[in-house]
Amino acid sequence: MRSPTIPAPKWEAPSKNTETLDLTIKVITPMFGGSTTPREVDENFPVRASSIRGHLRFWWRALYGGLYSTSGKLFEAESELWGSAAKTLDNKEIGGPGKVSLIVKVIKPGEKFIIQNLRPAHPSNGPGIRYFVYPFEKSQKAPEVNGLIHLEFNLLVLLRITDPSKHQDILNQIINTIKLWIALGGIGSRTRRGCGSLTVTTDQEKWLPKNREGLCTWFNELIPPHGNKYQDISLIGTKLVIGNTLDALQSLEELAKFWANFRKGHLENGAYSSGCTWNDLRVIQKRVRNSSSSQQIKLSKPFFGLPLIYHEFPGVPAVTITSNHYDRSGRMASPIILKPISFSENCMSPLIATLNTKLPNSIFIGNQKYSLISPKPSEEPVLYDLKRATDPRIASITFAERFFKQNHFTIGEGQ
């Protein structure tokens, strides 16, 4: 038998110099996914430390990516903290286990969230929460799956101390990242549409903002002073609208109504109805019906996340719009977050946030690639109605102000 050519990993004794953070976290909206079976929750391991680590890495980059001038330097710092597969970068060996270890223990198993128990779509109020959880409903290709809600778990964060002079700064980074994950993120699938939203049940004053009034200051205190150098995604520039106090599922219901109306372009009096006033479908139909030499196309909805699927219409085949903006999957995570946010005063509110992230500059309609351009307000009636918004993401904030009757604020404004 041939001996393996891959060297055995180096053993390291457990460090006695370890800082520990201990949180008890509760899932306040239905969570889905996370198992080996797509769409389903794993009953034995509903929450995995590896999944939480992935979420925390993302939010750490949103906070601290601007400290680094290049993506290579960012990757090196991220690997040192969170770990990565070993590799060589600029003739330097990096990677391996990071300084942070996570241990998850389920305290309360939670309850099944059955989609069929949700109210059916209403002609004037729209589909409600179903608008967010439709991927888990029964279809011709897949059965309906159940979600999980009110699950509680203990998260133990172990930070290995390697340099005492830098330890407090690194500890603050971990604390701020966890705060941001709980505020804007979640666990499982479709967290940007409110699924798997979180709160903390112990030591809430440490981890949660106090109330709506102090939220802008709370977010700004998380941001480190830097020049915003490398920017793939940054918390700086994120715009938020916070609705009135509601419980978690009521907040999710209001957010679903808001998003359904916005996606349809129904902006008056919050009334939901059939049809769509955005020009996107008409532009696509015209391009599909009539061959054109132009390699540019003006659309709005790709800026809300991809892929987009338009079903077959008379004279127009089904159309799928994808992107290779980040990878070859054709997907682009939505820069718009809709979720309930928890406060330490034992209340919650619906939250709409637009992340400051790179937007796609090209898309695929079928196999045809086009340069993507946002239409001018004069070319798109929805943008024109929403204070002549020049960016479709900003249009969502403008409509959120109208819908929830609250003004927006911008994180890191003036930094």
Side-chain angles (χ1 to χ4, degrees), residues 19-21 64 81 157-159 161 166-178 206-207:
E19 182 92 25
T20 301
L21 300 172
Y64 297 102
L81 186 59
V157 183
L158 307 175
L159 175 59
I161 303 172
K166 298 180 180 179
H167 173 66
Q168 189 59 49
D169 177 60
I170 295 174
L171 179 62
N172 289 339
Q173 289 187 27
I174 302 300
I175 291 173
N176 290 344
T177 299
I178 294 172
K206 178 176 180 178
W207 299 105

Side-chain angles (χ1 to χ4, degrees), residues 4 7 12 45 49 54-55 63 95 110 115 164 183 185 187 204 309 341 387 401:
E12 292 185 12
F45 301 100
H55 287 290
L63 272 178
I115 296 176
I187 193 72
Q204 291 185 329
I309 299 174
I341 184 171
K387 297 182 179 179
E401 291 181 307

Side-chain angles (χ1 to χ4, degrees), residues 87-159:
K87 65 176 291 186
T88 302
L89 183 68
D90 296 332
N91 297 318
K92 181 180 180 181
E93 289 288 336
I94 62 173
K99 295 179 180 178
V100 178
S101 300
L102 305 177
I103 300 174
V104 173
K105 181 181 179 181
V106 173
I107 300 173
K108 294 182 181 179
E111 310 155 16
K112 284 187 177 180
F113 185 89
I114 301 173
I115 296 176
Q116 286 184 346
N117 291 342
L118 292 170
R119 65 169 178 80
H122 190 276
S124 61
N125 293 329
I129 294 176
R130 288 179 181 269
Y131 199 65
F132 288 155
V133 301
Y134 74 87
F136 313 109
E137 291 193 279
K138 183 178 179 180
S139 67
Q140 293 180 344
K141 297 182 179 180
E144 182 176 276
V145 298
N146 294 320
L148 195 62
I149 194 170
H150 301 150
L151 168 80
E152 287 191 45
F153 62 94
N154 175 255
L155 176 63
L156 200 63
V157 183
L158 307 175
L159 175 59

Side-chain angles (χ1 to χ4, degrees), residues 360-387:
N361 54 23
S362 64
I363 58 172
F364 286 91
I365 301 180
N367 294 322
Q368 181 65 47
K369 185 176 181 179
Y370 295 92
S371 296
L372 177 64
I373 301 174
S374 175
K376 298 177 181 178
S378 59
E379 300 167 325
E380 173 52 70
V382 177
L383 296 180
Y384 188 87
D385 185 55
L386 292 170
K387 297 182 179 179

Side-chain angles (χ1 to χ4, degrees), residues 92-403:
K92 181 180 180 181
E93 289 288 336
I94 62 173
K99 295 179 180 178
V100 178
S101 300
L102 305 177
I103 300 174
V104 173
K105 181 181 179 181
V106 173
I107 300 173
K108 294 182 181 179
E111 310 155 16
K112 284 187 177 180
F113 185 89
I114 301 173
I115 296 176
Q116 286 184 346
N117 291 342
L118 292 170
R119 65 169 178 80
H122 190 276
S124 61
N125 293 329
I129 294 176
R130 288 179 181 269
Y131 199 65
F132 288 155
V133 301
Y134 74 87
F136 313 109
E137 291 193 279
K138 183 178 179 180
S139 67
Q140 293 180 344
K141 297 182 179 180
E144 182 176 276
V145 298
N146 294 320
L148 195 62
I149 194 170
H150 301 150
L151 168 80
E152 287 191 45
F153 62 94
N154 175 255
L155 176 63
L156 200 63
V157 183
L158 307 175
L159 175 59
R160 185 162 48 92
I161 303 172
T162 57
D163 184 346
S165 66
K166 298 180 180 179
H167 173 66
Q168 189 59 49
D169 177 60
I170 295 174
L171 179 62
N172 289 339
Q173 289 187 27
I174 302 300
I175 291 173
N176 290 344
T177 299
I178 294 172
K179 288 180 179 181
L180 190 58
W181 169 56
I182 294 169
L184 295 183
I187 193 72
S189 302
R190 289 184 69 77
T191 58
R192 298 195 183 190
R193 294 296 173 263
C195 295
S197 293
L198 306 171
T199 191
V200 176
T201 58
T202 55
D203 204 7
Q204 291 185 329
E205 294 78 10
K206 178 176 180 178
W207 299 105
L208 303 177
K210 183 178 180 181
N211 50 40
R212 293 170 63 252
E213 291 69 27
L215 194 57
C216 181
T217 300
W218 186 84
F219 273 114
N220 282 322
E221 288 174 349
L222 302 182
I223 298 175
H226 56 66
N228 215 18
K229 301 169 186 174
Y230 176 78
Q231 188 177 29
D232 184 18
I233 177 171
S234 173
L235 189 66
I236 294 178
T238 293
K239 298 182 183 299
L240 296 99
V241 174
I242 310 298
N244 293 318
T245 300
L246 298 167
D247 68 28
L249 289 181
Q250 287 174 336
S251 295
L252 198 60
E253 186 85 24
E254 283 295 291
L255 289 166
K257 183 178 179 181
F258 156 79
W259 192 238
N261 287 345
F262 180 68
R263 295 275 303 193
K264 289 281 188 179
H266 301 158
L267 310 179
E268 299 301 326
N269 301 320
Y272 181 89
S273 61
S274 60
C276 182
T277 59
W278 290 93
N279 274 336
D280 282 40
L281 181 57
R282 288 178 282 276
V283 172
I284 294 168
Q285 287 175 329
K286 184 177 179 180
R287 182 59 57 90
V288 171
R289 285 183 177 134
N290 305 314
S291 59
S292 172
S293 59
S294 174
Q295 297 303 304
Q296 292 184 341
I297 192 166
K298 295 182 179 181
L299 301 172
S300 297
K301 288 191 176 181
F303 294 99
F304 303 147
L306 292 167
L308 287 172
I309 299 174
Y310 289 96
H311 298 288
E312 185 177 355
F313 287 86
V316 180
V319 173
T320 299
I321 301 177
T322 57
S323 172
N324 64 348
H325 182 54
Y326 289 110
D327 54 42
R328 297 180 181 179
S329 69
R331 304 187 66 85
M332 185 197 80
S334 174
I336 301 174
I337 293 176
L338 311 164
K339 68 180 298 292
I341 184 171
S342 292
F343 301 100
S344 62
E345 291 185 344
N346 290 319
C347 60
M348 302 171 193
S349 294
L351 171 149
I352 303 93
T354 59
L355 291 178
N356 184 15
T357 184
K358 290 182 179 179
L359 296 175
N361 54 23
S362 64
I363 58 172
F364 286 91
I365 301 180
N367 294 322
Q368 181 65 47
K369 185 176 181 179
Y370 295 92
S371 296
L372 177 64
I373 301 174
S374 175
K376 298 177 181 178
S378 59
E379 300 167 325
E380 173 52 70
V382 177
L383 296 180
Y384 188 87
D385 185 55
L386 292 170
K387 297 182 179 179
R388 302 184 183 183
T390 55
D391 183 334
R393 293 177 307 167
I394 303 305
S396 69
I397 290 295
T398 303
F399 182 53
E401 291 181 307
R402 182 185 300 183
F403 187 93

